[in-house]
Amino acid sequence: MRLLLDTHAFLWWIQGGTELSGSARKAIGDSANTCWLSMASAWEMAIKIGQGKLKLEADLARFLPEHLAANGFTALPIAINHVSRVAQLPYHHRDPFDRLIIAQALEDGLSVVSADKVFSKYRVRRIW
């Protein structure tokens, strides 16, 4: 299975927190699955760091590559087809980062690992 981790799922996974559901933890930890992190999540983290809402143990420029590599995750770039798909989405969700993650999942045939129930209103498979 190909998984796209929502920002909170990525952070909870690398922090080893108990916030992840059992299904989410199992899916991420299954070596048969491939895990992706959208650059929309990287952008969201950068904004939250700048606002003082997120603190990481290292600078984001070091934090992301280290944790992506350590976990075997792949960065998912933002492409024109992803951005174009956002314009076609109904407004079930107002968060621009989540809307882009949903568009990427739809365009690239990825399942999304997210606690956000609103994702289920889109035709995307949500794992939680």
Side-chain angles (χ1 to χ4, degrees):
M1 192 177 341
R2 296 165 24 104
L3 308 174
L4 180 55
L5 306 184
D6 197 355
T7 309
H8 63 269
F10 171 74
L11 291 170
W12 291 344
W13 172 262
I14 62 171
Q15 294 167 352
T18 58
E19 299 91 346
L20 283 173
S21 71
S23 297
R25 186 171 299 284
K26 183 177 178 182
I28 296 169
D30 186 340
S31 62
N33 295 335
T34 56
C35 294
W36 300 82
L37 181 71
S38 172
M39 286 300 93
S41 290
W43 181 20
E44 180 179 15
M45 285 185 262
I47 288 173
K48 288 185 177 186
I49 290 166
Q51 293 173 332
K53 295 179 180 179
L54 177 64
K55 300 220 184 280
L56 302 175
E57 72 263 11
D59 179 76
L60 190 61
R62 193 177 98 212
F63 178 87
L64 281 176
E66 284 179 5
H67 285 286
L68 290 173
N71 289 283
F73 298 165
T74 303
L76 180 61
I78 298 168
I80 292 171
N81 63 315
H82 298 144
V83 175
S84 296
R85 186 66 177 260
V86 170
Q88 301 168 16
L89 294 176
Y91 269 91
H92 301 306
H93 208 311
R94 301 263 180 225
D95 183 293
F97 303 108
D98 287 343
R99 289 178 58 77
L100 185 50
I101 289 169
I102 290 162
Q104 288 179 303
L106 291 168
E107 283 293 307
D108 295 356
L110 304 168
S111 298
V112 179
V113 179
S114 178
D116 190 339
K117 292 178 183 175
V118 179
F119 277 59
S120 297
K121 290 187 176 185
Y122 296 91
R123 292 186 177 187
V124 63
R125 180 174 179 204
R126 182 177 73 95
I127 297 173
W128 198 252

